[in-house]
């Protein structure tokens, strides 16, 4: 019975856990001030913990603990802000059991405002006049609050950040003074009207056609305001609106203004001009114009409202002429430059290319085309850069039609002649043979036999009660239905393809050189259209691209094969011999000596002798006879002795695999190394004895130009 009673007491106590209490405690603070709130005393027992929270945007919790918190007002507000404290406490009953509970208390926080005490609550100003607003803050707190000023109508009065009010135009405005730590105040401003006693504008103005500019009016006395009306004596020359003058046409006009109280300004003479050209451009910088044709060039002057007289000219009137309106006419093949010039010296040009007319044209003499197929006929003209404007015709459009691009279409078996004619009457003809189509009609019999018929036209298939009937314009075939399993038809037409290809049987190609292999297709009387595929069985020695260009990549032999799309092929055995290097000695007395080597030689000095050696050969030269020497895989052209300069004091140069040396040259002579494209890639300088060892190890393989004051030579870095 006692145990039950204790449990009941525990239940009764715990049911009061959510007790809420209201406290009368409050704080009144200025903006920026801090205040301390203490945790309320519990009804019984002791505080275990407390949680504080602000329920207002302008009140923040700075510090908190189980015993209290510090609050701070961050900005001014009116009314009441609340801080909530949820605290927990505990106690022990008579039987030694510990109990816990929670309570909530709300604290009221008030913000005490800093007052703006105005010494100026209203002011009267004239336009242009100004006055400071007299004010002070009460009480004085730290930090000092921020004060801001705002005008309700800046067209009437403006106010600065320091409270200086300036009248702009007549009317009323309200200046609001805001304080970050208290309520705002206002100051009324009245700007009174000051009527002008006179008005003046500039006596003259230069305007430009199509442009606008403002003209200012000065009112007297200072600060006077009025509404201005603007007038022009000739709106076709110059118009004016709200004091902005716009040039219309060359000439002069008078501008004046009047005030709302009846005053008239002096006259302003406006002279309207066109702008002077600052540049000119043409509608095209190049023209391609056939003989006898004309086109018009148009020019644009900058600025667009500039006025000028332009003149046109051609530097080659035999090729092309131009008239005063920019119309260009082509007269004969060649080039001419058309020039347009402004009266103040600006110009632009257009280069006119007049191509020659074709003297002859060549097209395929004969082609074979399957029924239903299409093919473009290619044209070659003489000269190659001739102007080609072709007219294509077919003498039998039932057999072959041809479009404006020279594409022929086979309509029906037969023969037709297609002719291409140039604008100057030169023509060439191609015989087009349209082959009869071949259709294989296959009848599959039930006894697993089949019959194949090659037909030149598609048959018509009909049925009667017992038979399948195949009919063409030339024949008819009848099959009993019971004996036929199925029938199919396939297009067996074959394009005319080469029967053989002719290539050179052998070819010798120097190392690192290129050559194009030319081939012929047979039969030669037809221009056969096929895809040619090129291959090499040893591309490390000879490579070939798909246009038949060979490149000698190494020493040896390779078999190069070309294959047509029907499998017809031909081959050429290409040999790349061991390369020959020429050691060329340029003599002081003029001319040169050339020594052939099968490999790149090594150059050394042995005593006073220059030794050029390979594994198989050695050449010894006395250095004083030598101007320079080079190593190349080709011989130089003959050196004309009559233009040999006086080089008795010149030094000499020799090249190794990855270096160049200069011996006995001028002291401190600059040496430049250029790539074959003209780019400077390396520089050096000889020493006090005129010697230089120039390493080429960092350069890529290829041909370079060595240039100095005494020696210029082409070398090959291997």
């Amino acid at each position: 019975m006692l145990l039950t009673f204790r449990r009941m007491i525990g239940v009764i106590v715990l049911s009061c856990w959510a007790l809420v209490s209201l406290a009368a405690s409050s704080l009144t603070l200025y903006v920026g001030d801090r205040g301390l709130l203490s945790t309320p005393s519990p009804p019984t027992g002791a505080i275990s913990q407390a949680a504080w929270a602000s329920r207002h945007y302008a009140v923040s919790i700075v510090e908190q603990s189980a015993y209290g918190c510090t609050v701070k007002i961050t900005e001014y507000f009116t009314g009441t802000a609340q801080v909530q404290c949820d605290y927990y406490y505990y106690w022990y009953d008579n039987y030694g059991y510990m109990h816990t509970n929670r309570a909530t208390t709300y604290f009221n926080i008030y913000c005490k405002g800093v007052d703006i005490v105005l010494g100026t609550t209203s002011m009267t100003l004239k336009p242009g006049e100004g006055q400071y607003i007299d004010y002070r803050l009460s009480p004085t707190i730290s930090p000092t609050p921020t004060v801001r000023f705002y005008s309700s109508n800046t067209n009437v009065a403006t106010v600065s950040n320091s409270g200086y009010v300036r009248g702009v135009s007549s009317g009323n405005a309200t200046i609001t003074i805001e304080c970050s730590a208290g309520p705002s105040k206002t100051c009324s401003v009245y700007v009174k009207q000051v009527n002008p006693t006179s008005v003046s504008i500039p006596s003259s103005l230069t305007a430009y056609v199509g442009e606008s500019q403002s003209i200012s009016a000065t009112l007297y006395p200072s600060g006077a305001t009025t509404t201005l009306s603007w007038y022009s004596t000739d709106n076709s020359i110059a118009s004016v609106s709200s004091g902005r003058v716009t040039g219309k046409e060359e000439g002069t006009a008078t501008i004046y203004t009047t005030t709302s109280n009846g005053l008239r300004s002096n006259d302003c003479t406006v002279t309207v001009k066109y702008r002077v050209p600052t540049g000119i451009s043409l509608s095209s910088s190049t023209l391609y114009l056939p003989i006898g044709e004309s086109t018009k060039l148009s020019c644009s002057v900058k600025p667009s409202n500039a006025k000028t007289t332009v003149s046109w000219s051609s530097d080659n009137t035999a090729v092309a002429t131009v008239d005063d309106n920019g119309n260009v006419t082509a007269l004969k093949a060649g080039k001419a430059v058309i020039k347009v010039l402004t009266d103040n010296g600006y110009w632009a040009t257009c280069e006119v290319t007049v191509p020659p007319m074709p003297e002859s044209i060549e097209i395929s003499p004969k082609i074979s085309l399957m029924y239903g197929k299409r093919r473009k006929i290619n044209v070659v003209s003489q000269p190659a850069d001739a102007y080609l404007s072709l007219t294509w015709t077919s003498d039998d459009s039932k057999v072959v039609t041809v479009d404006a691009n020279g594409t022929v279409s086979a309509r029906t078996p037969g023969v037709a002649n297609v002719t291409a004619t140039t604008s100057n009457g030169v023509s060439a003809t191609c015989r087009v043979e349209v082959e009869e189509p071949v259709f294989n009609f296959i009848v599959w019999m039930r006894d697993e036999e089949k019959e194949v018929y090659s037909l030149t036209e598609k048959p018509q298939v009909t049925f009667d009660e017992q038979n399948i009937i195949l009919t063409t314009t030339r024949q008819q075939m009848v099959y009993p239905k019971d004996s036929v399993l199925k029938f199919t038809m396939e297009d067996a037409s074959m394009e005319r393809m080469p029967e053989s290809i002719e290539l050179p049987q052998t070819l010798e190609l120097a190392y690192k050189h290129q050559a194009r292999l030319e081939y012929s297709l047979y039969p030669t009387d037809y221009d056969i259209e096929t895809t040619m595929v090129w291959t090499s069985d040893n591309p490390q020695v000879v490579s070939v691209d798909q246009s038949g260009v060979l490149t000698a990549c190494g020493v040896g032999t390779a078999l190069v094969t070309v294959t047509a799309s029907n499998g017809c092929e031909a081959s050429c055995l290409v040999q790349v011999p061991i390369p020959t290097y020429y050691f060329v000695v340029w003599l002081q007395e003029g001319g040169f000596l050339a020594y052939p080597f099968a490999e790149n030689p090594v150059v050394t000095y042995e005593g006073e002798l220059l030794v050029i050696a390979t594994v198989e050969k050695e050449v010894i030269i006395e250095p004083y006879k030598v101007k320079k020497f080079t190593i190349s895989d080709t011989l130089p052209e003959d050196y004309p002795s009559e233009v040999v300069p006086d080089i008795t004091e010149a030094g000499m140069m020799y090249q190794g695999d990855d270096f160049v040396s200069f011996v006995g040259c001028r002291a401190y002579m600059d040496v430049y190394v250029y790539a074959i494209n003209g780019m400077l890639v390396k520089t050096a300088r000889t020493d006090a004895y005129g010697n230089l060892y120039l390493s080429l190890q960092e350069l890529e393989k290829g041909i370079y130009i060595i240039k100095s004051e005494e020696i210029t030579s082409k070398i090959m870095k291997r």
Side-chain angles (χ1 to χ4, degrees), residues 151 474 535 592 623:
S151 172
R474 302 179 182 179
T535 58
F592 63 86

Side-chain angles (χ1 to χ4, degrees), residues 36-40 49-55 61-71 83-87 105-107:
L36 180 64
L37 296 175
S38 298
T39 305
Q49 60 180 348
W52 297 83
S54 172
R55 305 183 69 187
I61 306 297
V62 179
E63 296 176 349
Q64 61 175 302
S65 68
Y67 305 104
C69 78
T70 300
V71 299
V83 173
Q84 178 178 330
C85 176
D86 294 322
Y87 59 95
T105 297
Y106 296 95
F107 296 87

Side-chain angles (χ1 to χ4, degrees), residues 21 35 54-55 90 95 199 226 259 275 325 342 458 467 648 675:
S21 63
S54 172
R55 305 183 69 187
Y90 64 92
Y95 299 99
V199 57
T226 187
T259 65
R275 286 286 186 182
N325 297 315
T342 67
K458 292 182 180 180
N467 301 307
T648 56

Side-chain angles (χ1 to χ4, degrees), residues 459-475:
Q460 182 180 4
V461 182
T462 58
F463 303 89
D464 60 20
E465 294 182 357
Q466 297 179 349
N467 301 307
I468 300 173
I469 305 168
L470 310 178
T471 305
T472 69
T473 58
R474 302 179 182 179
Q475 61 189 119

